[in-house]
Amino acid sequence: MLEIKNLQARVEGKAILKGIDLSINAGEVHAIMGPNGSGKSTLAQVLAGREGYDITDGSVAYNGEDLLDLGPEERVREGFFLAFQYPVEIPGVNTTYFLRAAVNALRDHRGEAELSAVDFLKLMREKIQLLELDESLLKRSVNEGFSGGEKKRAEILQMALLDPKFAVLDETDSGLDIDALKVVAGGVNHLKRVDNAQLVITHYQRLLDYIVPDYVHVLVDGRIVKSGPKELALELEERGYDWIIEEQVA
Amino acid sequence: MSSESEVIDQFVEQEYKWGFYTDVETDTLPPGLNEDVIRHISGKKEEPEWLLEWRLKAFRHWQKMEEPRWPHVQYEPIDYQGISYYSAPGAKDKDRPKSLDEVDPKLLETYDKLGVPLHERERLAGVAVDAVFDSVSVGTTHQEELAKHGVIFCSFSEAVREHPELIKKYLGSVVPYTDNFFATLNSAVFSDGSFVYIPKGVRCPLDLSTYFRINAAETGQFERTLIVADEGSKVSYLEGCTAPMRDENQLHAAVVELVALGDAEIKYSTVQNWYPGDEDGKGGIYNFVTKRGICKGDHSKICWTQVETGSAITWKYPSVILRGDDSVGEFYSVALANLAQQADTGTKMIHLGKNTRSTIISKGISAGKGQNSYRGLVQMGKNATDARNFTQCDSLLIGSRCGAHTFPYIEVKNPSAQVEHEATTSKIGEDQIFYCNARGIETQDAVNMIVNGFCKEVFSELPMEFAMEAQALMDVSLEGSVG
Ligand SMILES: Nc1ncnc2c1ncn2[C@@H]1O[C@H](COP(=O)(O)OP(=O)(O)OP(=O)(O)O)[C@@H](O)[C@H]1O
Ligand SMILES: [Mg+2]
């Protein structure tokens, strides 16, 4: 489904991604772990199509298409989704209105009729229950004044509404309390099917108790330095990253 | 991030859809300004002697005045002798049309194209329109229906002929001919405009509207609007305007006077869409306008709502003099400065009466190389016991080459009066745009969404159809070559 080959990217002249190779098939869940500043979010943003990154080498094939050739909104229409590590506040724009615009942009692309306000509300009510989200939040401006946890839940609400084929979750667990973590993970699992895939970025193996990955990758200094089964996460939790870095050097 | 300027600063090329020119025969005075020109205009309009005298007094006063330099705008000096002060469609020797049926079809077509059809069968329901083309009114719709309620709605020239006593009583009563450079010039040379009188206790059954169109080149437009709402009456008035695209600047110096007697209410809404010029600041209308209302009687109310998207330069401060006790003044404004546009706009709330209230909501949007200034004065007179003002002044920046400025002035002479001022500045960030993109929403739609969200409070004050037009206008005004 997603095939990343030797992906290299720079920001303002500084090399951040230094050759990423990663292959993800439909039906799989992959986790990426790694120290602060190693390039995890950069990878997520590059995949989502944010401008300002210089892709100096490599390629990303998404269902056989050149992902890097598509604009960010086109990627969404092809079923790509990124849950942001830091969801952005948009004052003045009503959340429900925003979500409906997003859903209708996707429907429009698929040649489906726009959802009326009433039908959309029905769909949204169904999804917010899944995430145990307070409906009053949706009357507010997008993410404005949302607590850290509310922002993350709202991200997964958006994911549920757009029902992506390939989702990247960038530290969706940070800022969530234990109960919220279970709810959010439950939501994500609910969206998992055999024909879609997820890439989960996290610092904590705890999340992976709920969202169980098929593979765990360790990203250090812009490279994937180790990959393994889900047990690798446990080992990382116990031993940190130093031993891997040393293993690398050796 | 560097891409911010790339993505967002590209919102500078817009297409002005109202920029066409109507080729009609005109009766146009050669450029130049002197007493003979004023006599000529007055004569064309068959005005009484007192009005000519009033114009001449204004002109003599104007010659001693200096153009204001305090607004935060820059422009080349205006050559007042290079402007024609009168241009009317139709040949010199032809009589003015008696009714809309006699109006040149080309003119009717022009208004069709602008979306304000004047013909009986296609007229906008619920809105009576006075159509002003260059220096004259070409016709007013729904007059008979309004007359049934005693409402007078006609061109200013017609009012001078038909209702001289009202004109004599109220003309210059809110904006005296000595008021300021542009208002004084207007007093000397004004050509046409609209007049409204709502009798005691009448709620005007229709919205009233004037559509101003500048067509001729090298002419100025100097119209005058006077609205008088007698005791206990109520009226909603809308003003729209457009002009052809031209490389040279054109001067528009209008005066609007509102008079609300006891318990009367006037709601005055403007969607200003004069040609803004191009991105290098070439062409466009200089919109130097004096708008002022007086809440003369107790419990009266005046509400100004303006959406200013056009003009190369906007200089206007719709104001309310709160003379009556318990009177209310409101000002809701959205001003957009895109391309190389400059806007210096705001309001004055002059509290004289007891327990008077005013609200100011100003939303300034700057994009491209636009410069947007809010300038507002809140004055609490010594008798304005318990008067209140609330001011909220928000600026939104799109891109990094534009600017927003605020100049609030507050003068309080009564210790029981309260003045509250809030201000915010925000910027449409590249991260917000990307966040929308990452939800499948295109950049243009994202900008529109954010801008409309920003303007919501003001748009909701506009009459329904106007609110939609304003939103659509805002969208096109920000339309650009999105990268
Ligand atoms: N716009 C930018 N300008 C300069 N440096 C940047 C920019 N964006 C990212 N970086 C740098 O790139 C490196 C990788 O950042 P990134 O956000 O991808 O890390 P991360 O692995 O997600 O870290 P964390 O675990 O803290 O979220 C960091 O050193 C960061 O400072
Ligand atoms: Mg990160």
Side-chain angles (χ1 to χ4, degrees):
Chain A
M1 174 167 265
L2 191 79
E3 184 85 38
I4 306 175
K5 280 198 184 134
N6 187 34
L7 183 62
Q8 301 192 22
R10 292 172 168 266
V11 181
E12 288 170 12
K14 183 179 159 206
I16 311 285
L17 302 182
K18 300 176 178 169
I20 305 265
D21 290 286
L22 187 59
S23 169
I24 298 175
N25 297 313
E28 294 177 351
V29 176
H30 290 234
I32 290 188
M33 303 182 80
N36 291 133
S38 57
K40 304 181 297 296
S41 292
T42 302
L43 175 63
Q45 304 262 327
V46 166
L47 291 178
R50 186 173 193 138
E51 291 200 28
Y53 296 97
D54 240 350
I55 316 264
T56 48
D57 208 349
S59 65
V60 181
Y62 173 67
N63 291 326
E65 251 186 291
D66 181 357
L67 186 75
L68 302 178
D69 218 30
L70 302 176
E73 63 273 19
E74 292 169 316
R75 300 180 196 199
V76 179
R77 289 172 202 154
E78 297 305 322
F80 180 91
F81 182 85
L82 168 65
F84 283 57
Q85 180 176 4
Y86 304 110
V88 179
E89 301 193 356
I90 311 180
V93 177
N94 172 275
T95 303
T96 306
Y97 181 82
F98 177 80
L99 297 178
R100 186 152 86 95
V103 168
N104 280 333
L106 190 61
R107 290 180 67 93
D108 185 53
H109 172 70
R110 293 194 189 132
E112 297 165 0
E114 283 198 353
L115 281 185
S116 69
V118 175
D119 289 340
F120 178 74
L121 225 58
K122 231 187 264 168
L123 176 72
M124 198 172 66
R125 291 224 166 92
E126 180 191 310
K127 304 294 182 193
I128 57 176
Q129 267 169 18
L130 188 70
L131 291 156
E132 298 178 15
L133 206 72
D134 188 355
E135 199 175 326
S136 69
L137 224 50
L138 305 173
K139 297 193 179 109
R140 292 169 37 189
S141 294
V142 177
N143 291 320
E144 195 184 31
F146 287 19
S147 74
E150 286 167 344
K151 282 184 181 163
K152 296 303 176 72
R153 285 196 217 201
E155 288 295 288
I156 304 307
L157 170 67
Q158 302 194 29
M159 176 173 163
L161 286 168
L162 297 176
D163 192 17
K165 289 195 208 120
F166 185 86
V168 179
L169 309 181
D170 191 357
E171 294 198 28
T172 300
D173 55 331
S174 337
L176 292 180
D177 63 47
I178 290 287
D179 295 331
L181 182 71
K182 285 187 202 163
V183 171
V184 166
V188 173
N189 287 331
H190 186 85
L191 296 169
K192 184 76 207 64
R193 294 189 310 261
V194 288
D195 64 341
N196 63 14
Q198 293 166 352
L199 179 62
V200 181
I201 297 170
T202 182
H203 284 293
Y204 307 105
Q205 102 81 27
R206 194 184 60 188
L207 175 71
L208 305 179
D209 286 342
Y210 302 103
I211 301 177
V212 183
D214 299 293
Y215 300 94
V216 175
H217 310 279
V218 183
L219 187 66
V220 177
D221 192 22
R223 287 189 187 87
I224 291 181
V225 295
K226 197 170 181 70
S227 297
K230 63 175 189 292
E231 289 73 21
L232 178 58
L234 280 172
E235 199 172 352
L236 290 170
E237 179 110 321
E238 234 166 76
R239 300 176 59 191
Y241 295 109
D242 285 352
W243 62 278
I244 298 184
I245 296 166
E246 275 155 30
E247 219 171 61
Q248 272 304 103
V249 176
Chain B
M1 205 170 282
S2 62
S3 63
E4 182 154 335
S5 46
E6 287 160 35
V7 180
I8 299 167
D9 274 353
Q10 284 164 350
F11 286 90
V12 290
E13 278 168 41
Q14 75 177 58
E15 217 184 312
Y16 185 73
K17 297 181 180 167
W18 306 266
F20 63 90
Y21 167 73
T22 310
D23 189 10
V24 285
E25 195 178 349
T26 60
D27 172 10
T28 303
L29 270 183
L33 181 56
N34 53 49
E35 294 201 359
D36 285 343
V37 166
I38 291 165
R39 285 176 209 283
H40 183 89
I41 295 171
S42 187
K44 274 268 169 208
K45 304 202 164 284
E46 302 157 38
E47 286 176 357
E49 193 57 30
W50 68 264
L51 190 49
L52 173 62
E53 278 312 311
W54 193 78
R55 287 176 179 274
L56 290 172
K57 271 193 293 185
F59 179 62
R60 288 164 199 152
H61 188 77
W62 181 75
Q63 286 175 305
K64 289 180 271 172
M65 296 174 98
E66 282 200 32
E67 206 167 325
R69 284 280 159 230
W70 49 263
H72 192 80
V73 297
Q74 287 177 344
Y75 57 93
E76 292 290 307
I78 297 171
D79 175 11
Y80 291 92
Q81 296 301 335
I83 298 172
S84 163
Y85 289 83
Y86 186 82
S87 177
K92 271 192 188 60
D93 42 10
K94 234 170 83 188
D95 283 343
R96 61 171 184 273
K98 298 273 180 302
S99 75
L100 275 168
D101 301 332
E102 291 176 25
V103 170
D104 184 344
K106 268 192 195 160
L107 293 177
L108 296 178
E109 234 170 74
T110 302
Y111 285 91
D112 281 351
K113 249 168 135 173
L114 296 170
V116 254
L118 304 174
H119 316 271
E120 190 102 43
R121 61 202 142 80
E122 286 151 21
R123 276 173 195 174
L124 305 171
V127 185
V129 180
D130 183 25
V132 176
F133 191 89
D134 290 330
S135 301
V136 295
S137 164
V138 299
T140 311
T141 69
H142 295 90
Q143 273 180 317
E144 311 78 43
E145 191 181 343
L146 292 167
K148 277 186 233 151
H149 295 85
V151 172
I152 302 169
F153 178 40
C154 61
S155 72
F156 207 93
S157 312
E158 190 179 332
V160 170
R161 290 193 302 269
E162 309 289 331
H163 310 282
E165 67 304 335
L166 286 171
I167 299 293
K168 204 166 178 181
K169 182 165 178 193
Y170 291 108
L171 175 70
S173 69
V174 192
V175 180
Y177 72 82
T178 50
D179 196 77
N180 71 73
F181 186 83
F182 296 111
T184 301
L185 175 62
N186 174 288
S187 301
V189 301
F190 74 91
S191 44
D192 216 334
S194 304
F195 173 73
V196 174
Y197 173 78
I198 316 288
K200 272 184 195 166
V202 172
R203 276 172 168 260
C204 188
L206 299 171
D207 281 357
L208 306 182
S209 159
T210 303
Y211 196 97
F212 295 103
R213 174 75 179 168
I214 296 181
N215 190 62
E218 278 146 18
T219 57
Q221 189 166 24
F222 305 93
E223 83 276 357
R224 226 177 150 102
T225 299
L226 172 59
I227 300 178
V228 180
D230 214 326
E231 286 168 21
S233 69
K234 199 171 165 177
V235 62
S236 166
Y237 179 91
L238 324 168
E239 175 200 301
C241 39
T242 55
M245 290 163 77
R246 295 185 190 287
D247 284 348
E248 69 275 6
N249 299 106
Q250 278 179 286
L251 178 62
H252 172 249
V255 172
V256 176
E257 296 179 279
L258 310 182
V259 180
L261 301 180
D263 295 298
E265 192 176 326
I266 302 175
K267 188 171 173 59
Y268 191 107
S269 313
T270 306
V271 173
Q272 185 266 105
N273 185 27
W274 295 119
Y275 176 54
D278 70 9
E279 58 191 306
D280 300 318
K282 198 165 175 204
I285 302 292
Y286 290 164
N287 192 36
F288 299 152
V289 170
T290 304
K291 291 183 167 176
R292 192 175 306 150
I294 181 162
C295 286
K296 220 169 171 171
D298 295 349
H299 302 283
S300 54
K301 178 175 173 182
I302 289 178
C303 173
W304 296 103
T305 305
Q306 60 172 24
V307 176
E308 305 280 319
T309 60
S311 297
I313 302 178
T314 296
W315 177 98
K316 70 182 261 205
Y317 315 91
S319 309
V320 185
I321 300 167
L322 297 146
R323 159 125 28 103
D325 291 346
D326 299 294
S327 59
V328 175
E330 293 175 355
F331 174 74
Y332 299 96
S333 167
V334 167
L336 169 73
N338 189 11
L339 309 162
Q341 284 174 279
Q342 307 173 64
D344 192 306
T345 182
T347 184
K348 285 190 268 185
M349 293 290 174
I350 313 294
H351 292 252
L352 302 176
K354 290 186 193 61
N355 213 23
T356 45
R357 306 250 177 277
S358 65
T359 304
I360 300 171
I361 308 283
S362 160
K363 306 273 179 177
I365 302 161
S366 312
K369 289 182 279 182
Q371 293 294 328
N372 212 326
S373 304
Y374 168 81
R375 189 182 301 276
L377 168 67
V378 176
Q379 202 176 60
M380 299 294 188
K382 60 180 188 305
N383 297 323
T385 310
D386 289 328
R388 302 265 180 283
N389 161 267
F390 173 74
T391 300
Q392 186 184 321
C393 188
D394 299 324
S395 307
L396 182 69
L397 301 169
I398 306 177
S400 47
R401 293 176 299 160
C402 53
H405 320 272
T406 42
F407 306 97
Y409 305 92
I410 297 171
E411 294 169 21
V412 180
K413 296 200 183 96
N414 184 308
S416 67
Q418 280 184 27
V419 178
E420 240 183 289
H421 184 98
E422 286 177 12
T424 66
T425 301
S426 53
K427 190 169 173 173
I428 297 190
E430 183 263 350
D431 54 341
Q432 289 175 327
I433 300 287
F434 176 64
Y435 188 71
C436 294
N437 292 159
R439 297 300 174 252
I441 298 165
E442 295 196 23
T443 302
Q444 186 67 56
D445 295 335
V447 171
N448 290 345
M449 199 184 260
I450 295 169
V451 169
N452 282 315
F454 179 74
C455 302
K456 215 159 34 190
E457 265 172 289
V458 172
F459 286 174
S460 67
E461 289 298 324
L462 289 170
M464 187 63 174
E465 321 82 73
F466 249 44
M468 287 169 51
E469 189 188 322
Q471 183 161 342
L473 195 57
M474 199 56 86
D475 292 356
V476 267
S477 298
L478 284 167
E479 203 165 86
S481 51
V482 183

